[in-house]
Amino acid sequence: MIIKNARSALISNYEVFNLLNERIEYQKEVQTTRPNVEYPEHLRTIQFELAEYLKTTPTKSQTTVQVKDFLQQMNQYALTLGEKLQILNLRPKSAVEIYLLIEECEERFNEQDLDNILSIIITTLPHEEENEEEFVENE
């Protein structure tokens, strides 16, 4: 495969996680139907380690609908694809974290814009840990 445009090769952790899971399932299916086919141990190790890492990130609780909704709502802001993906992958919880992800943030956006971006993140990308924390606080 030849990448003609490096920028078009940017994908989110959510997409990587889904592709990885599809590939692992395909490999399992191939090995059950054709037991003589073996995949390199290094490949399986890398796939396992990557899947385990992605399970520790906000990616594990995201859905296709949430990701599409998030990206559509973020189109109103002049963000690069890389910035949108960083926000999607890391799911910042405060304006300070957003400042770290967006280049020249203080010059491009005002406080109201940052509050709106944070609100979009919180509403479109709910995180399992927040639900657990709310449950613990209510007890």
Side-chain angles (χ1 to χ4, degrees), residues 44-98:
R44 293 191 330 202
T45 301
I46 290 170
Q47 289 173 330
F48 174 78
E49 293 291 331
L50 179 57
E52 290 302 306
Y53 166 72
L54 289 174
K55 288 177 186 176
T56 66
T57 67
T59 302
K60 72 174 179 158
S61 61
Q62 293 173 349
T63 66
T64 304
V65 173
Q66 290 173 340
V67 171
K68 285 181 182 179
D69 188 33
F70 168 77
L71 292 174
Q72 285 176 348
Q73 290 190 40
M74 293 305 285
N75 282 337
Q76 64 185 309
Y77 299 101
L79 294 168
T80 65
L81 178 59
E83 290 168 337
K84 289 177 189 175
L85 291 178
Q86 285 283 68
I87 293 170
L88 178 64
N89 292 342
L90 300 174
R91 200 194 173 287
K93 296 177 184 174
S94 68
V96 173
E97 291 177 286
I98 293 174

Side-chain angles (χ1 to χ4, degrees), residues 9-24:
L10 297 176
I11 62 174
S12 69
N13 286 354
Y14 174 76
E15 293 167 305
V16 171
F17 191 57
N18 284 340
L19 289 170
L20 180 63
N21 287 330
E22 287 174 13
R23 187 68 187 160
I24 290 170

